[in-house]
Amino acid sequence: AGEALRAEVAALQSAGKKLEETAEALRAEATTLQASTSQLQSKNSDLQSSTSGLQSTNSELQATIQELQDRNAALQSASSELQSGEETLLVTLGELQSENAELQTAHEGQILRVAELQSKNSELQSSTAELDSAI
């Protein structure tokens, strides 16, 4: 019975040693897993920070896009107003050119009339001079 007991103690000691080796291997694996977990947590933190920065940049870009769209709408409105004003100016210019042509025609008529009147005046002066000399 003593020998059986010694064999059982030896088996238990051997099993205990194996358990200690297994526990040591598990502790080493746990240490490795903890290091990997820390690295992953650090990478996750970096990614979250990058994501936050990208979201901020995206918000700024969206605000800039909205501002540019607003400015574009304002410029299109101003362009429409300028085109409308240009059309009005072209119509007015056409009217003024037509009126100017009429005035030039009237002016030329007046010049011809003045020339006629000057000619008649010369004739009258000539006739008056003849009458004066005849008297």
Side-chain angles (χ1 to χ4, degrees):
E3 234 177 82
L5 194 56
R6 271 188 236 129
E8 195 175 321
V9 167
L12 285 173
Q13 285 176 338
S14 176
K17 189 173 182 183
K18 284 183 183 178
L19 282 174
E20 283 179 27
E21 289 172 358
T22 301
E24 187 60 35
L26 287 173
R27 280 193 280 278
E29 189 175 339
T31 300
T32 300
L33 287 174
Q34 283 178 337
S36 293
T37 299
S38 289
Q39 286 177 344
L40 289 174
Q41 286 174 336
S42 175
K43 285 181 182 178
N44 185 44
S45 177
D46 290 346
L47 286 173
Q48 285 176 340
S49 177
S50 293
T51 299
S52 177
L54 288 172
Q55 286 172 337
S56 176
T57 300
N58 186 43
S59 293
E60 291 171 7
L61 287 172
Q62 286 177 339
T64 301
I65 287 169
Q66 184 61 50
E67 182 181 323
L68 290 172
Q69 287 173 337
D70 292 346
R71 287 167 63 187
N72 186 42
L75 287 172
Q76 285 177 340
S77 176
S79 176
S80 292
E81 289 177 20
L82 287 173
Q83 285 176 346
S84 176
E86 181 182 12
E87 290 169 6
T88 301
L89 286 174
L90 288 174
V91 168
T92 303
L93 178 62
E95 292 170 355
L96 289 173
Q97 286 173 336
S98 177
E99 187 177 335
N100 187 40
E102 290 173 14
L103 289 172
Q104 283 180 337
T105 300
H107 181 66
E108 288 168 3
Q110 289 174 347
I111 289 173
L112 290 174
R113 179 72 177 137
V114 166
E116 281 177 30
L117 291 173
Q118 285 175 340
S119 175
K120 286 184 180 182
N121 188 34
S122 289
E123 288 175 17
L124 283 174
Q125 285 177 347
S126 183
S127 293
T128 304
E130 285 178 20
L131 284 174
D132 281 345
S133 75
I135 299 179

